[in-house]
Amino acid sequence: MTESVHREKTHVLPLDSIRGIAATSVVIHHLLLMPTFLAAFPHNAWINCSFFRSAWLLVDLFFVLSGIVMSLSYVESDFGRFSLREFMVRRLARVYPLHIVMLLANLLFRLLRISLVMAGVVVAAPAAFEVNNAYSFILNVLLLHSMGFIDYLSWNAPSWSISVEFYTYLVFGLIVLLAQRMRSLLWFYVLCGALAVGSLVFIIFVLDKRSLGLQTDFGILRCFVSFFLGVLTVRIVDRLPAKPGPAVQGMLQFVAMIASIVLVSLAETNPAATFLAPVTFAIFLGSLLAFPDALLVPRMLVAKPLVWLGRRSYSIYMVHALVVLLAEYFVRAVGAGRIAALDSVWAGLPATLNLVVSLAAVLVVSHFTYRYVEIPGGRWMRNALGSRTDFSASPAPSARPTN
C-alpha cells in the first residue's frame, strides 16, 4: 500500500495577511451595524463606509482562500497519497477546539444572564433561552447548526461558516479519494468545477436568490462555489504561461485588489453583484499566488502587523461576536444621556470609541485564544485522535470566517 505522507508546504505570508485583514473587516462590519449600536449612537463611527457595511461578503474570500490552501496542501504535490481519515482529523483539530470553547463561553454568559435577570439585578425580556436552546446547542457541538436543521443563527453566530466549511472539507476529501481511485487528477478538477458551477446555478435559478448572502439557508452551497473555485485557482495558476515583468505583475495585482474592494463596496446597493465575488476574489488571491515577487502588494502584505493579524484571524473571527455582545451591554449601561453628551462634543465620537475599544478587545482576546486554545487544543486533539506524526498539517489556518 502507498504510505500516506503529507509534507508541510511553503507558507504564503501575503495570503495569511489577507485573511487577517478580512477577519478584522468582518468585526468592523458587525460593530457598525449591530442594532443596539445603531439605536444608541446619534451618529455612526467615522470609518462608516460601504466597504465595511458590506464586509459580510468577505466570508466568501475566506472560502476561496481555504480552497486554495487545501489544494496546495493535499492535491498538487501529494495526489495519490491522500488519507481521508488523516485529512479530517487535521481539519477537525484545526477548527474544533476554539469552536467548542467559544460555544461554552456563550453558554456560560447566557446562564449568567438568566441568573441575573431572575435575581432582579438585570432587567431583560425574555429571561429564558430563545433561539439559543438545547437543540441548537447540540447541533453546534456536532457542527451541524448551518446544515439545514435550523433556519436561524444560534450561539456563536459567526461559526455558521465553520459548520458549512467543515462538511465542505469532507466533500473535498471524498472527491480526492474518488479521483485517486480513478488515477486521474483531471477528473478531480472536473468534479470540483462541476460542484462550483452547479452550486451557483442552483442558488440563482432554483433557489431564486438575489444575492450570495446565504447562511443557514443552503449556506453550504455558497461555500461550495467559493471553496471549489479556490481549488481550481491553484490549477489555473500552475498552468499560466511565462510570467510578465515585476512591474506588470504589480499592476495586475493592484487592479485585482481594487476590483475586490470595489465589488464589496457595491454589494450594499447592488446585491446581484455579490455573485461575482468568488471569481473576483479568486483572481486577486490567484495573482498573489502567481506573482509572489511583484513590486507592491506582496511587500505590503508581509508587514509584521498584518502577519500578526493573519495568524490570529481564526480567533479574531470566532471570538468577536461575544466581545461585541459584551460591548452592547456596556453601551446600555452607559446610558443615552452620557452618549449624547459625548456625541455633542464631536459627532460620531462615542460610536468611534466603541469601535476602537471593542476591536482592541477582540485583538487582545484573540491573541490569548490563539496561543492557549488554537495551538495547544489542535495539538491535543490530533494526539487524542491518533493522527500520524508524518502527516503534517498545512501551516495556513482554516478560512473563517467563517461570519
Side-chain angles (χ1 to χ4, degrees), residues 152-212:
Y152 50 82
L153 297 176
S154 60
W155 299 97
N156 190 26
S159 69
W160 76 267
S161 65
I162 308 306
S163 170
V164 299
E165 189 172 342
F166 180 76
Y167 290 99
T168 299
Y169 290 147
L170 178 59
V171 173
F172 168 82
L174 291 172
I175 293 174
V176 174
L177 273 188
L178 178 60
Q180 197 168 263
R181 295 285 175 84
M182 298 173 67
R183 301 178 183 275
S184 173
L185 194 56
L186 175 61
W187 271 108
F188 168 77
Y189 287 108
V190 168
L191 291 172
C192 288
L195 258 181
V197 174
S199 297
L200 185 60
V201 169
F202 192 86
I203 290 170
I204 296 174
F205 297 105
V206 178
L207 298 180
D208 196 29
K209 297 294 183 179
R210 298 296 184 241
S211 80
L212 200 56

Side-chain angles (χ1 to χ4, degrees), residues 24-326:
T24 304
S25 298
V26 171
V27 177
I28 294 173
H29 163 76
H30 287 135
L31 286 168
L32 288 175
L33 297 183
M34 289 302 293
T36 298
F37 299 147
L38 291 175
F41 298 128
H43 296 90
N44 217 319
W46 299 331
I47 65 169
N48 181 31
C49 64
S50 58
F51 175 82
F52 289 123
R53 290 195 299 268
S54 299
W56 60 267
L57 190 56
L58 294 175
V59 171
D60 298 279
L61 185 146
F62 294 147
F63 292 151
V64 174
L65 184 50
S66 188
I68 289 174
V69 170
M70 293 304 104
S71 183
L72 284 172
S73 300
Y74 298 99
V75 178
E76 282 297 314
S77 61
D78 285 344
F79 187 74
R81 296 177 292 177
F82 181 79
S83 165
L84 180 61
R85 180 189 181 280
E86 294 291 345
F87 173 69
M88 293 308 297
V89 165
R90 292 283 168 172
R91 293 300 92 207
L92 184 65
R94 181 67 188 91
V95 303
Y96 200 71
L98 184 56
H99 167 67
I100 204 70
V101 165
M102 293 311 302
L103 181 60
L104 292 174
N106 275 271
L107 174 63
L108 289 175
F109 174 82
R110 282 164 173 81
L111 289 174
L112 176 62
R113 172 182 176 271
I114 289 175
S115 300
L116 293 175
V117 170
M118 294 179 67
V121 177
V122 174
V123 177
F129 291 117
E130 303 95 30
V131 297
N132 296 320
N133 50 43
Y135 177 59
S136 62
F137 186 86
I138 292 172
L139 291 175
N140 273 264
V141 169
L142 299 174
L143 287 171
L144 290 169
H145 50 295
S146 290
M147 296 297 291
F149 295 97
I150 52 177
D151 59 357
Y152 50 82
L153 297 176
S154 60
W155 299 97
N156 190 26
S159 69
W160 76 267
S161 65
I162 308 306
S163 170
V164 299
E165 189 172 342
F166 180 76
Y167 290 99
T168 299
Y169 290 147
L170 178 59
V171 173
F172 168 82
L174 291 172
I175 293 174
V176 174
L177 273 188
L178 178 60
Q180 197 168 263
R181 295 285 175 84
M182 298 173 67
R183 301 178 183 275
S184 173
L185 194 56
L186 175 61
W187 271 108
F188 168 77
Y189 287 108
V190 168
L191 291 172
C192 288
L195 258 181
V197 174
S199 297
L200 185 60
V201 169
F202 192 86
I203 290 170
I204 296 174
F205 297 105
V206 178
L207 298 180
D208 196 29
K209 297 294 183 179
R210 298 296 184 241
S211 80
L212 200 56
L214 294 83
Q215 292 177 329
T216 57
D217 53 338
F218 299 96
I220 194 166
L221 294 180
R222 174 182 176 184
C223 188
F224 280 176
V225 173
S226 296
F227 180 94
F228 289 108
L229 187 58
V231 171
L232 294 174
T233 299
V234 175
R235 185 68 166 181
I236 294 169
V237 167
D238 192 50
R239 296 297 184 272
L240 286 177
K243 296 179 181 179
V248 176
Q249 292 178 18
M251 182 189 68
L252 292 174
Q253 284 179 344
F254 186 76
V255 169
M257 181 179 70
I258 296 300
S260 298
I261 294 171
V262 170
L263 181 64
V264 173
S265 301
L266 288 174
E268 184 177 37
T269 54
N270 298 277
T274 59
F275 292 121
L276 298 175
V279 175
T280 307
F281 295 153
I283 292 172
F284 175 46
L285 296 174
S287 73
L288 292 176
L289 195 63
F291 311 134
D293 300 318
L295 291 179
L296 180 61
V297 179
R299 298 182 185 183
M300 293 166 48
L301 293 176
V302 295
K304 288 184 178 180
L306 297 182
V307 173
W308 187 93
L309 279 181
R311 288 175 178 164
R312 291 152 183 80
S313 58
Y314 181 48
S315 276
I316 291 170
Y317 182 75
M318 290 293 283
V319 308
H320 84 271
L322 185 56
V323 174
V324 171
L325 181 60
L326 294 173

